[in-house]
Amino acid sequence: MSETLELFRFSSLLLDFVFYYPLFMAYLWMLGGIYYYFHWERPERRPPDDPPELPEHPFVSILVPCFNEAENVRETIAWACAQEYPEYEVIAINDGSTDETGEILDELAGENPRLRVIHHARNQGKAVGLRMGALAARGEYLVCIDGDALLDPHATTWIVRHFLSGPRVGAVTGNPRIRTRSTLLGKVQVGEFSAIIGLIKRTQRIYGRVFTVSGVVTGIRRSALHSIGYWSTNMVTEDIDISWGLQREHWDVRYEPNALCWILMPETLRGLWKQRLRWAQGGVEVFLKYGASLLRWRKRRMWGVLLEHSLSIVWAYLMALTFVLWGAGFFVELPEPIRVQSILPEWYGVFLGFTCLLQFAVSLAIDGRYEKGLGRFYYWMIWYPIAFWMINMLTTVTAVPKALLKRRGQRAVWVSPDRGLRTP
């Protein structure tokens, strides 16, 4: 009898964790985002197109690694070369593209003296491309963007101000905004990047460390990069790896919401699955690489990020277990303590939906100054807990064994992603 009671309590505790963990994190992110806003954003009251005057303008190198970006690279280079910043260069790294990317870059280099092009004979991966760009760069400060991203003309100024104000600032992550909005997945991702990712970065910045810089728009101090050995070539997400590597060595990583960059995102389920699986696997790989070394007292500022990531993996597996037990109940008679009667939303489903909409309302109030018209995507956020939580749960469950079984030292190379369904 006592064993049955203990089992019942244990299973009840697990199910409560599955439900309450995302709720707790949602309210933590909202409170963190509000605090960040009143502490850093509200006092400044400067729009993104009105950056502060800098005491000096050190030379900046903008790195653009490219692989099969013939469709997008002209626009990307045009925006990169239109920075409202006096001293900079643009270095495009053609990483063995099999389309016309190389020819287009050479043509653009002949038209714009700020642009330099590096060609790789074969696909060696984004990390190698960034390494080569960093070694060839003339500037101490690097701004790294993707080959399909549009860098706001004032983004470089907003990023550089952090390096000038903080000698221990190793990296600055910018504020990516979604360009592809023609499908339900695209619309939900617009809300996700402001309501979820924006609030997460603000909150993590408060409690000390950021899980990851945004690979599509990041500023990096080259001396900090050199001190940790540059980007790892065998990690599927070089941005998460560089973030943990810098912070492990006590370099500061900051978030700059005014450093805008317009990006393309998947708008098909297949493309979204591949992207989120890569993100999840990258997180697990970095956890396996750095986790044990961060348990020392000197690394305690990383404990918040480490705990958050660990609990998210546990939540994903417990969520999957809940679905397995619910399905198994149709075929076998399960003991009462572990029987899942239903996975259909009841009162808690309504509460989760309310929390999701509240979170987006908070982010809308904060992020509305960076992008007008976000309110029209408010309705679509009700689908986020249903669709994206399921995808994140499934990708995490899949990513852990993929990361554990990955061949050691295997180089991560480019795979052309889903760029979304853009409309004129």
Side-chain angles (χ1 to χ4, degrees), residues 304-344:
V305 169
L306 193 64
L307 178 63
E308 181 182 329
H309 186 54
S310 302
L311 289 177
S312 69
I313 295 174
V314 172
W315 174 84
Y317 272 89
L318 290 179
M319 186 70 174
L321 177 62
T322 301
F323 278 91
V324 170
L325 293 176
W326 172 73
F330 289 98
F331 303 100
V332 296
E333 187 67 26
L334 296 175
E336 181 63 28
I338 61 172
R339 184 181 305 160
V340 179
Q341 300 291 348
S342 174
I343 58 171
L344 295 177

Side-chain angles (χ1 to χ4, degrees), residues 113-153:
R114 290 192 184 272
L115 176 62
R116 289 194 286 150
V117 180
I118 299 173
H119 293 284
H120 290 169
R122 57 186 177 86
N123 179 355
Q124 300 187 63
K126 184 178 179 181
V128 174
L130 287 169
R131 275 190 176 207
M132 293 301 298
L135 293 173
R138 294 164 51 200
E140 163 65 3
Y141 305 118
L142 313 175
V143 175
C144 309
I145 64 174
D146 280 355
D148 61 347
L150 307 183
L151 187 65
D152 184 84

Side-chain angles (χ1 to χ4, degrees), residues 325-402:
L325 293 176
W326 172 73
F330 289 98
F331 303 100
V332 296
E333 187 67 26
L334 296 175
E336 181 63 28
I338 61 172
R339 184 181 305 160
V340 179
Q341 300 291 348
S342 174
I343 58 171
L344 295 177
E346 297 177 0
W347 69 268
Y348 49 83
V350 176
F351 190 39
L352 283 173
F354 166 77
T355 299
C356 184
L357 292 179
L358 177 63
Q359 185 173 353
F360 186 63
V362 170
S363 72
L364 179 64
I366 296 174
D367 255 29
R369 64 193 295 256
Y370 305 112
E371 181 181 350
K372 304 301 181 184
L374 282 176
R376 66 180 181 273
F377 298 99
Y378 189 85
Y379 165 79
W380 303 105
M381 285 306 293
I382 194 65
W383 300 104
Y384 187 86
I386 300 173
F388 279 70
W389 283 6
M390 287 293 296
I391 291 175
N392 290 339
M393 179 266 289
L394 291 171
T395 53
T396 299
V397 170
T398 306
V400 171
K402 279 180 65 71

Side-chain angles (χ1 to χ4, degrees), residues 192-248:
E192 178 191 30
F193 268 69
S194 58
I196 311 297
I197 295 177
L199 290 183
I200 288 175
K201 280 187 167 55
R202 288 176 173 90
T203 303
Q204 290 174 343
R205 179 74 184 96
I206 289 169
Y207 62 66
R209 292 291 183 253
V210 175
F211 177 75
T212 181
V213 297
S214 297
V216 293
V217 51
T218 301
I220 300 180
R221 188 187 298 268
R222 190 163 65 162
S223 57
L225 190 62
H226 182 75
S227 71
I228 64 168
Y230 298 87
W231 291 269
S232 299
T233 60
N234 60 344
M235 308 295 282
V236 298
T237 50
E238 82 295 328
D239 46 3
I240 306 177
D241 176 63
I242 206 72
S243 305
W244 286 48
L246 286 169
Q247 292 174 122
R248 187 181 67 163

Side-chain angles (χ1 to χ4, degrees), residues 78-318:
W79 281 64
C81 291
Q83 293 298 291
E84 295 290 335
Y85 185 88
E87 300 292 333
Y88 72 95
E89 65 177 348
V90 179
I91 301 176
I93 306 95
N94 172 35
D95 193 33
S97 297
T98 56
D99 63 2
E100 298 177 350
T101 300
E103 291 82 352
I104 294 173
L105 287 173
D106 286 337
E107 175 190 334
L108 294 174
E111 300 171 356
N112 194 320
R114 290 192 184 272
L115 176 62
R116 289 194 286 150
V117 180
I118 299 173
H119 293 284
H120 290 169
R122 57 186 177 86
N123 179 355
Q124 300 187 63
K126 184 178 179 181
V128 174
L130 287 169
R131 275 190 176 207
M132 293 301 298
L135 293 173
R138 294 164 51 200
E140 163 65 3
Y141 305 118
L142 313 175
V143 175
C144 309
I145 64 174
D146 280 355
D148 61 347
L150 307 183
L151 187 65
D152 184 84
H154 301 282
T156 298
T157 303
W158 283 107
I159 288 173
V160 168
R161 73 163 183 161
H162 289 279
F163 294 123
L164 297 180
S165 65
R168 290 302 300 176
V169 175
V172 181
T173 178
N175 187 358
R177 316 303 297 185
I178 308 300
R179 297 166 59 193
T180 37
R181 309 175 178 197
S182 57
T183 68
L184 173 61
L185 286 179
K187 291 178 172 66
V188 174
Q189 286 176 97
V190 173
E192 178 191 30
F193 268 69
S194 58
I196 311 297
I197 295 177
L199 290 183
I200 288 175
K201 280 187 167 55
R202 288 176 173 90
T203 303
Q204 290 174 343
R205 179 74 184 96
I206 289 169
Y207 62 66
R209 292 291 183 253
V210 175
F211 177 75
T212 181
V213 297
S214 297
V216 293
V217 51
T218 301
I220 300 180
R221 188 187 298 268
R222 190 163 65 162
S223 57
L225 190 62
H226 182 75
S227 71
I228 64 168
Y230 298 87
W231 291 269
S232 299
T233 60
N234 60 344
M235 308 295 282
V236 298
T237 50
E238 82 295 328
D239 46 3
I240 306 177
D241 176 63
I242 206 72
S243 305
W244 286 48
L246 286 169
Q247 292 174 122
R248 187 181 67 163
E249 299 305 318
H250 307 289
W251 289 99
D252 193 17
V253 173
R254 294 185 181 178
Y255 174 54
E256 178 48 74
N258 288 287
L260 304 178
C261 188
W262 300 89
I263 65 173
L264 303 175
M265 293 289 284
E267 289 194 286
T268 65
L269 282 173
R270 182 182 180 186
L272 186 67
W273 169 265
K274 288 183 177 180
Q275 180 198 62
R276 299 309 165 99
L277 180 58
R278 186 176 66 84
W279 289 1
Q281 182 180 343
V284 175
E285 288 182 6
V286 168
F287 179 83
L288 295 173
K289 178 180 178 180
Y290 294 108
S293 67
L294 299 176
L295 297 178
R296 296 195 297 270
W297 177 251
R298 292 188 67 251
K299 314 294 184 182
R300 61 190 179 278
R301 292 193 67 191
M302 283 292 289
W303 288 358
V305 169
L306 193 64
L307 178 63
E308 181 182 329
H309 186 54
S310 302
L311 289 177
S312 69
I313 295 174
V314 172
W315 174 84
Y317 272 89
L318 290 179

Side-chain angles (χ1 to χ4, degrees), residues 46 51-57 157:
R46 303 183 75 99
E53 288 292 328
L54 301 180
E56 58 179 307
H57 293 89
T157 303

